[in-house]
């Protein structure tokens, strides 16, 4: 079974963000992003590649605030 939609847990999650999250969390690997670049593309240019503390590459996202209540 796939992960529940983020909106079920928090309510007001933007639809595009929820779609990206669900694709990342899909149980079936064939339904996930094949490469990080595809994920970055779907994030609409809001992703910035940065060096991680261990020398690896991470992605920093600039997303709008989502109310937690």
């Amino acid at each position: 079974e796939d992960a529940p939609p983020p909106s079920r847990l928090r309510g007001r999650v933007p639809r595009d963000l929820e779609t990206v999250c669900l694709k990342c969390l899909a149980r079936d690997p064939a339904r996930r992003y094949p490469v990080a670049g595809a994920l970055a593309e779907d994030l609409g240019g809001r992703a910035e590649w940065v060096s991680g503390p261990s020398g690896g590459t991470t992605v920093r996202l600039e997303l709008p605030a989502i109310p937690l209540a």
Side-chain angles (χ1 to χ4, degrees), residues 9-26:
L9 304 173
R10 282 289 179 201
R12 295 172 21 190
V13 176
R15 177 183 242 164
D16 291 347
L17 179 58
E18 182 167 81
T19 300
V20 169
C21 290
L22 290 174
K23 190 167 182 174
C24 289
L25 297 170

Side-chain angles (χ1 to χ4, degrees), residues 1-66:
E1 182 177 319
D2 284 334
S7 61
R8 189 181 310 161
L9 304 173
R10 282 289 179 201
R12 295 172 21 190
V13 176
R15 177 183 242 164
D16 291 347
L17 179 58
E18 182 167 81
T19 300
V20 169
C21 290
L22 290 174
K23 190 167 182 174
C24 289
L25 297 170
R27 182 173 293 268
D28 179 3
R31 292 179 47 218
R32 295 182 209 146
Y33 288 98
V35 295
L39 169 59
E41 184 177 314
D42 273 3
L43 290 172
R46 292 176 288 207
E48 175 188 349
W49 299 99
V50 295
S51 294
S54 63
T57 303
T58 35
V59 177
R60 181 182 328 188
L61 300 175
E62 297 294 329
L63 298 172
I66 299 171

